[in-house]
Amino acid sequence: CRRLRGSRPLEGISLRWGRRDWGLAKHYGYASSNVSPALPLPTAHSTLPAPCHNLQTSTPGIIPPADHPSGYGAALDGGAAGYFLSSGHTRPDGAPALESPRIEITSCLGLYHNNNQFFHDVEVEDVLPSSKRSPSTATLSLPSLEAYRDPSCLSPASSLSSRSCNSEASSYESNYSYPYASPQTSPWQSPCVSPKTTDPEEGFPRGLGACTLLGSPRHSPSTSPRASVTEESWLGARSSRPASPCNKRKYSLNGRQPPYSPHHSPTPSPHGSPRVSVTDDSWLGNTTQYTSSAIVAAINALTTDSSLDLGDGVPVKSRKTTLEQPPSVALKVEPVGEDLGSPHFSSFQHIRKGGFCDQYLAVPQHPYQWAKPKPLSPTSYMSPTLPALDWQLPSHSGPYELRIEVQPKSHHRAHYETEGSRGAVKASAGGHPIVQLHGYLENEPLMLQLFIGTADDRLLRPHAFYQVHRITGKTVSTTSHEAILSNTKVLEIPLLPENSMRAVIDCAGILKLRNSDIELRKGETDIGRKNTRVRLVFRVHVPQPSGRTLSLQVASNPIECSQRSAQELPLVEKQSTDSYPVVGGKKMVLSGHNFLQDSKVIFVEKAPDGHHVWEMEAKTDRDLCKPNSLVVEIPPFRNQRITSPVHVSFYVCNGKRKRSQYQRFTYLPANVPIIKTEPTDDYEPAPTCGPVSQGLSPLPRPYYSQQLAMPPDPSSCLVAGFPPCPQRSTLMPAAPGVSPKLHDLSPAAYTKGVASPGHCHLGLPQPAGEAPAVQDVPRPVATHPGSPLPPGLEHSLCPSSPSPPLPPATQEPTCLQPCSPACPPATGRPQHPPSTVRRDKSPTAGPRLLPEVHEDGSPNLAPIPVTVKREPEELDQLYLDDGECPQQQLSRGDEHVTPCGSVNTSKCRGGLARSSQRGRDTGGPRLCLQAPGAGSSPSSPWARTARRCTQHRTPGVVREGSGLTSVARRVVWGV
DNA sequence: GGGCTGGAAAAACAA
DNA sequence: GCTTGTTTTTCCAGC
C-alpha cells in the first residue's frame, strides 16, 4: 500500500490497468508480488515456507511433506491458507491493511482456468465438494503489475493472443535443486517466508522468487509499484524495435535481491529465480549454477543492509527499477467452505491470483479473452492443487498414459510479436502433432494443457522466452483456449472421449519474446541468446475416484525455433545404428537436416566428470551426403578390450558454431554378440515410458547430457517439496552436493520414448486413485503398488543404452542407477564440444586419448547389473549435466572459468572471464554468484564494476550480457 | 485482407 | 577501441 502511495503516481497505474491490464490482473492476481510486508502475516511467517517447496524439503522447519496427504500439496497448506485467511484486510493494529485500491476477485480459480465451477461460488457450492471449492473471493490491492513491456508498446503486429506472457516458472529449478545443490545453500534451506509460493501452480516453481518477495524488503513501503520497470516503462511507450542497449536488462544486485525486511523471515530470502541462465552454449554446469544460486541467496541476504555499494556501476535505470519496491499487497481470501481453509486450496487460489511472482512482471494479456469463463471445465481443474508448470510429472501412471503420438517437427520458426503468426507447429511428416491420453475410460472430457517448455539440459519448465501462441482460423480443427498460469501462457485443449482422448495439436504456434524484455524481468536469470530450443509440454489432470487429481505430463522432442538455426545448424533426427562393437567400420546413416558434404561427425567419449576422454572424427561418405542424410563410418573405439558397453556420443559439425546436438552411441565389447537394433526406424518405443518423456518419438535420441544423469531415486524426480524417498536416502545419501541433475528429467526421456530411470519413478510412483499424482510422493517403481512394471522399463535402466539387451533388473536398482556410469556419463551438451576440446588442449585431429577417468569395463560402464554408486563427489559432477566437470561447464565457449564450487574458496571468473583473460583478474577467493546484469562487454558498466570489485576485493555485480555464451551472469564478490 | 512463409536487412552482441 | 562474425529482431514480399 505504501508503495502505491510512493513516488509512482497511482494514477498512472490505474490508467494502465484500466486500459489493459485490469482484466489480467483481476484474473491472475498480480497482487501476489505485492504482498505487503506490513500485512499481518502471523501465519504467513510460519507458513511461508510452504511456498518454497524446495526449501521445505531441505528445511526441517518447513512443513514436512509427510504430514500432508499429498506431496507438494502439503507445502501449500499452511502457507497459503494461513496466509490468506489470516492476512485479511486488517493489520495487527486493526488498521486496514489495504489502503490502496483493491480488486475484488471472485473465483480466481475459475478465472484462471476459466472453469465455471470456480467461477462462481454458488456454482462451486453446488457442484463441488467443499474440499474442491475455491475461496469465494480474494481481495487484492492494486499490484505493481509489471508488464514485461508497456502495453502501449505492443507491436501493432502482435496479435492479442501472442502478446507475451512471461514465463518465469523456471525459478523452480533452482529451488528444486537447492536442497541437493549444496549444504551451503543455507539461504534456501531456511524457511521460505514468501507467501507467494503458496500458489500451487507457480508457487513451488517460483518458490524462491516468491519467498524472496515476501521476505524481502522489496515489499517495503518504499518500493515502487513497478518493481520491474524497464526503461521503456519509465519513459513511456517504446518503439517496437528493441531500444537496445537500453532495453537490455541491467540488473543491479538490488534489483534482483531485495533487501531484507525486518518483518519478514529472518532467514535470507532467496531472491527470485536463482536459476542460472542456460543456453545451448552456455549451459554451465549445474554445479555452478546451483552453487551460484545459493550464493546469490546468501548475497542477497548480505546485501540487504545496503551497506554494499553495489550501486556502483549499475545503470541508473537499473537502480531505479531495483530500488523501487512493489506495492504491498494484501490478499484476502474468504473461504467458501471448510476445506477452503486447507492450505491446498488456499494455495491454489493464491496461485491463481497470479502468484506472488508478479514482481517479475505482468505480461500484457488479452483482457477479454482471459476474462471469458471457460465453458468446458474438466474435472481435472477441480483440484485445488494442480502442480506448478515447472514440476516434473510422469507421463504415465497406473492405467493412464499421456503420449505424444505424433511428434512436432524439429524446427519451427517462432514469430515475434512484431510479426504475424508463423502458423502452428507441424509434424515432421506433415500434419500436426497428436497427443493422446491412454487408459482413460471415463466419459468425462478432460482438458489438455499445452505450454512451451525448455529443452535444455535442465529440468523441464516453462520457457521464459517462448510462449505458446493460439492459432485460430478455418484451417484449425482443434478448439483451444488460452489461459495463463504463472505468467506462462497455456493452451487448453479439450480431450474428448469421443475422440479417444486424442487431440490434434494444430492450434499451437510459438511466440518468441524479445530477450531483452524477458531478461529485464525481475528474478529472471535465464538468458535468451542462443536459448532457442523448446519443447511442447502437454499436461492432463485426471480426476481420481478418491477425489484427487492425477496429473500427467509429456514433453515433445526439442524444437528449434530460430530462423538461423533452422537453416544452418545440422540436426540429427535419426541414426540407423546406436550401438556397435568397438571395432567399428560399420556405416551408419544419419537422418536429419542441414547436412553438408563438409559436415564432420565427431565421436566423443566423456568421463563422468565431463572430461573428454576420447574424440575421433568419423569418416563420412561425401558422395552419399545429402541435406537430409549423412553416411558415416563408425570409427573404432579407442579401447578394443572393453568388457561392457561404453556410451559415447557424437555430433555433426558444419563448421564453427554449427554443431548438432550430441547423439548417443554405444560401443559394445568386441566379443559381445551384436543385437540388431537397427534400423532406428524400426525401433518401437516402449509403450510406457518415463514420466517426462514423451516416449513416442521414433526419432533418434537427441542426446542430452543429463539424460544419463537422471535421478535414480523417485524423490529426485519429484518436486522439491517431496522428501527424499527411502531409497534415495539409502542409496544416494549425501546428497547435499548431489547435483540437481539427479532431479533432472531431461529430454533424454524423449529419445526413443525410453524413459530415464528418473522418469520411471515419476511415472510409477503415483498410485492411481490413491491421491492426486501431483501430490503423491513418488515412490520407487518397485514399491509402486498399483502400477505394473511399464513395458520397456528395462530401457529405463539405461536410457542411453540403446540396443544392448540388458538383463532384467529390479526396478529399484534401476532407479538408483542413473548416476552410475552405466548410464553414460552425461555427455553431451549440445553445441559445446569445442569448448571442451579447447580445454583439453589436446590435438584436434584424429583420435585423442585423454586421461582416462575410468577404466573400461569398470562396473560403471557395465550396463548391468545395475549397481548403485555411492560417490557423492561423482554425483556432483554428474549433475553437471552433461557430465562435464565444473570447470568444463564453466568454460563455455572460449571462456575459461573456474567453477565456483564453494562460496568461500572458489575463484570465480565467470562473469569476469574476459577480464580474467586479459590479466585483470586478480584472483583470490571470491564468491561467484549469478546475477542479472548488464552486458558482458568488457567495457560495460557491469564488467567494469566487476573488475573493480575484483581488483579491490569488494562486492560487486557482474553480469555477462544477455548474450552470454559461456557463463550466465554472476556476481563476483571479492572476499 | 489476413495469415503464413521465406528471406534478408538492421541492430545487437560477442569474439 | 576497432573489426569481424554471430545472433536476434524487424521488415518485406509473395503465396
Side-chain angles (χ1 to χ4, degrees):
Chain A
C1 297
R2 277 176 285 182
R3 175 147 179 59
L4 290 177
R5 294 195 300 270
S7 60
R8 306 287 298 176
L10 181 59
E11 295 70 19
I13 296 173
S14 299
L15 285 174
R16 266 186 81 215
W17 284 63
R19 183 176 51 189
R20 186 206 59 182
D21 299 321
W22 182 264
L24 179 61
K26 183 176 180 180
H27 294 183
Y28 301 100
Y30 287 96
S32 62
S33 64
N34 301 321
V35 174
S36 172
L39 289 175
L41 303 175
T43 30
H45 285 276
S46 62
T47 59
L48 289 178
C52 301
H53 55 301
N54 311 0
L55 298 179
Q56 293 177 355
T57 305
S58 61
T59 305
I62 296 172
I63 300 171
D67 295 341
H68 301 275
S70 58
Y72 73 80
L76 299 177
D77 288 353
Y83 174 73
F84 289 106
L85 296 176
S86 64
S87 63
H89 291 281
T90 58
R91 297 184 179 186
D93 60 1
L98 298 174
E99 299 176 0
S100 60
R102 311 183 280 230
I103 299 173
E104 289 293 334
I105 296 179
T106 299
S107 70
C108 26
L109 282 180
L111 290 174
Y112 232 80
H113 289 265
N114 289 320
N115 291 327
N116 292 334
Q117 67 266 43
F118 292 114
F119 205 78
H120 299 292
D121 294 341
V122 175
E123 294 180 44
V124 172
E125 268 310 344
D126 298 339
V127 179
L128 302 174
S130 60
S131 63
K132 294 180 179 180
R133 289 174 296 175
S134 62
S136 61
T137 62
T139 300
L140 302 175
S141 64
L142 283 180
S144 60
L145 176 60
E146 297 175 346
Y148 79 89
R149 62 174 57 180
D150 187 298
S152 63
C153 298
L154 289 175
S155 167
S158 306
S159 67
L160 292 175
S161 61
S162 67
R163 288 186 180 177
S164 326
C165 76
N166 299 309
S167 159
E168 64 180 32
S170 52
S171 63
Y172 145 74
E173 182 176 15
S174 301
N175 296 338
Y176 186 59
S177 61
Y178 281 103
Y180 305 93
S182 159
Q184 301 171 358
T185 61
S186 60
W188 307 114
Q189 296 176 342
S190 67
C192 179
V193 182
S194 175
K196 285 181 67 175
T197 50
T198 55
D199 179 89
E201 277 303 317
E202 82 174 356
F204 289 121
R206 306 159 191 253
L208 292 181
C211 292
T212 303
L213 290 180
L214 247 200
S216 90
R218 178 178 295 177
H219 300 283
S220 82
S222 62
T223 307
S224 123
R226 301 180 61 182
S228 65
V229 176
T230 62
E231 179 145 3
E232 297 103 302
S233 299
W234 283 96
L235 301 178
R238 58 184 280 180
S239 63
S240 60
R241 194 97 179 176
S244 174
C246 295
N247 285 340
K248 288 298 177 180
R249 143 169 88 180
K250 298 170 183 173
Y251 285 116
S252 66
L253 187 55
N254 292 334
R256 293 195 60 199
Q257 307 154 359
Y260 263 81
S261 170
H263 299 289
H264 297 228
S265 167
T267 58
S269 149
H271 165 287
S273 181
R275 72 182 173 187
V276 177
S277 304
V278 175
T279 63
D280 290 347
D281 292 338
S282 64
W283 171 236
L284 306 180
N286 288 327
T287 304
T288 303
Q289 171 182 351
Y290 294 93
T291 300
S292 298
S293 298
I295 298 173
V296 170
I299 292 293
N300 291 339
L302 295 173
T303 58
T304 55
D305 62 3
S306 70
S307 61
L308 301 177
D309 183 12
L310 297 176
D312 285 353
V314 177
V316 175
K317 294 175 183 177
S318 297
R319 286 191 179 187
K320 184 185 297 181
T321 297
T322 60
L323 292 176
E324 291 185 353
Q325 298 179 5
S328 59
V329 175
L331 233 182
K332 177 183 178 180
V333 176
E334 300 174 5
V336 174
E338 180 179 354
D339 291 333
L340 293 179
S342 92
H344 295 262
F345 191 84
S346 299
S347 301
F348 186 63
Q349 182 166 36
H350 196 136
I351 294 171
R352 296 308 172 196
K353 298 306 176 187
F356 292 7
C357 299
D358 290 330
Q359 54 180 341
Y360 295 113
L361 81 164
V363 178
Q365 297 303 325
H366 192 173
Y368 57 83
Q369 185 168 17
W370 302 112
K372 295 178 183 176
K374 190 164 61 177
L376 178 60
S377 56
T379 52
S380 62
Y381 289 99
M382 296 170 74
S383 171
T385 56
L386 295 179
L389 296 180
D390 50 2
W391 277 47
Q392 310 304 301
L393 303 174
S395 62
H396 70 280
S397 179
Y400 309 107
E401 179 181 8
L402 183 61
R403 188 189 302 173
I404 297 178
E405 302 294 350
V406 177
Q407 288 285 341
K409 289 178 61 176
S410 55
H411 286 147
H412 176 83
R413 181 172 162 181
H415 66 271
Y416 284 83
E417 292 179 311
T418 52
E419 296 181 304
S421 168
R422 287 190 177 277
V425 174
K426 299 174 183 58
S428 299
H432 298 275
I434 296 177
V435 177
Q436 184 170 12
L437 173 63
H438 295 270
Y440 180 78
L441 305 177
E442 304 299 323
N443 292 323
E444 290 297 319
L446 297 180
M447 191 65 81
L448 177 70
Q449 294 182 313
L450 163 60
F451 64 91
I452 303 301
T454 57
D456 56 33
D457 295 335
R458 298 176 297 173
L459 292 173
L460 174 64
R461 65 187 183 290
H463 205 298
F465 301 90
Y466 292 88
Q467 293 289 342
V468 65
H469 170 74
R470 178 168 173 253
I471 303 295
T472 58
K474 52 188 179 184
T475 60
V476 177
S477 62
T478 303
T479 59
S480 63
H481 179 276
E482 283 183 324
I484 292 182
L485 300 178
S486 305
N487 282 337
T488 295
K489 188 173 291 186
V490 176
L491 214 52
E492 297 177 333
I493 303 164
L495 280 179
L496 308 175
E498 50 266 41
N499 292 336
S500 302
M501 303 306 283
R502 180 187 181 94
V504 175
I505 315 302
D506 60 357
C507 55
I510 302 176
L511 168 69
K512 173 67 169 65
L513 302 179
R514 288 201 302 243
N515 294 339
S516 59
D517 287 331
I518 302 308
E519 293 170 349
L520 279 169
R521 294 190 310 183
K522 282 194 164 81
E524 180 55 61
T525 57
D526 261 0
I527 54 179
R529 195 175 179 80
K530 300 186 77 173
N531 184 2
T532 56
R533 279 186 303 136
V534 308
R535 281 182 281 173
L536 298 183
V537 184
F538 299 93
R539 277 189 177 187
V540 67
H541 305 288
V542 185
Q544 299 297 296
S546 64
R548 296 185 177 180
T549 300
L550 172 67
S551 295
L552 301 177
Q553 171 179 297
V554 64
S556 73
N557 289 332
I559 301 171
E560 175 56 59
C561 294
S562 74
Q563 176 187 16
R564 174 179 173 273
S565 296
Q567 297 176 333
E568 303 176 5
L569 298 181
L571 172 70
V572 178
E573 290 186 333
K574 298 179 182 179
Q575 59 190 79
S576 61
T577 304
D578 49 18
S579 65
Y580 199 74
V582 292
V583 295
K586 179 181 179 178
K587 299 284 185 181
M588 176 169 67
V589 180
L590 304 181
S591 300
H593 300 283
N594 302 325
F595 294 142
L596 306 174
Q597 287 196 327
D598 293 333
S599 293
K600 295 180 180 179
V601 179
I602 310 297
F603 279 70
V604 178
E605 179 192 11
K606 288 186 178 183
D609 65 358
H611 284 100
H612 281 203
V613 175
W614 170 74
E615 285 189 10
M616 165 75 90
E617 179 180 339
K619 295 178 183 177
T620 58
D621 189 332
R622 295 192 174 191
D623 296 335
L624 297 178
C625 178
K626 297 177 182 178
N628 296 320
S629 66
L630 187 61
V631 177
V632 58
E633 181 180 309
I634 299 170
F637 187 55
R638 64 181 176 83
N639 186 335
Q640 298 291 306
R641 298 178 181 178
I642 60 174
T643 57
S644 60
V646 175
H647 302 286
V648 300
S649 58
F650 68 87
Y651 60 87
V652 177
C653 180
N654 282 354
K656 186 180 179 181
R657 295 186 181 187
K658 293 181 180 178
R659 230 166 307 149
S660 70
Q661 292 182 43
Y662 282 96
Q663 301 297 126
R664 291 183 180 180
F665 188 81
T666 302
Y667 276 110
L668 305 174
N671 59 348
V672 172
I674 300 173
I675 293 177
K676 184 173 182 178
T677 59
E678 56 185 324
T680 304
D681 294 341
D682 295 336
Y683 176 83
E684 287 300 331
T688 59
C689 56
V692 178
S693 70
Q694 64 300 17
L696 297 179
S697 171
L699 295 180
R701 344 143 162 232
Y703 188 29
Y704 289 82
S705 46
Q706 66 284 68
Q707 293 178 339
L708 302 177
M710 289 308 294
D713 75 302
S715 64
S716 66
C717 299
L718 297 179
V719 188
F722 296 108
C725 68
Q727 286 71 10
R728 182 188 186 89
S729 343
T730 302
L731 299 175
M732 300 188 67
V738 169
S739 72
K741 202 165 181 182
L742 293 177
H743 309 283
D744 187 350
L745 298 178
S746 72
Y750 37 72
T751 61
K752 282 194 173 181
V754 174
S756 68
H759 293 171
C760 291
H761 291 293
L762 290 178
L764 298 175
Q766 306 162 354
E770 182 174 321
V774 295
Q775 297 180 354
D776 288 342
V777 174
R779 285 165 285 202
V781 173
T783 61
H784 187 255
S787 298
L789 179 61
L793 176 61
E794 59 276 13
H795 288 285
S796 68
L797 292 177
C798 186
S800 61
S801 173
S803 23
L806 298 177
T810 61
Q811 296 176 358
E812 201 167 307
T814 297
C815 296
L816 297 174
Q817 178 211 341
C819 296
S820 165
C823 286
T827 56
R829 156 173 319 163
Q831 308 185 4
H832 295 296
S835 299
T836 302
V837 172
R838 282 193 293 274
R839 283 192 297 276
D840 293 335
K841 295 181 179 178
S842 58
T844 55
R848 300 180 187 174
L849 274 181
L850 300 172
E852 293 187 19
V853 176
H854 53 80
E855 294 298 327
D856 292 331
S858 69
N860 294 340
L861 295 177
I864 40 182
V866 177
T867 58
V868 177
K869 189 172 184 176
R870 306 183 184 187
E871 298 178 23
E873 297 77 6
E874 293 199 12
L875 289 177
D876 286 344
Q877 294 182 328
L878 279 177
Y879 97 53
L880 292 180
D881 136 62
D882 35 275
E884 286 188 343
C885 65
Q887 290 78 359
Q888 289 178 315
Q889 298 211 352
L890 288 174
S891 307
R892 285 290 173 206
D894 296 330
E895 296 178 290
H896 300 271
V897 182
T898 298
C900 306
S902 67
V903 175
N904 298 321
T905 61
S906 295
K907 186 174 182 179
C908 175
R909 300 190 192 112
L912 297 179
R914 245 169 267 154
S915 298
S916 299
Q917 293 175 353
R918 300 176 184 183
R920 290 173 180 169
D921 183 355
T922 58
R926 296 188 207 97
L927 282 178
C928 187
L929 306 176
Q930 57 173 308
S936 60
S937 170
S939 59
S940 69
W942 292 93
R944 287 195 295 273
T945 299
R947 285 195 291 273
R948 180 169 57 256
C949 294
T950 300
Q951 296 170 344
H952 300 293
R953 298 183 188 291
T954 57
V957 179
V958 174
R959 180 266 188 176
E960 289 198 8
S962 59
L964 285 182
T965 56
S966 62
V967 181
R969 317 109 200 177
R970 60 191 56 174
V971 174
V972 175
W973 186 339
V975 177

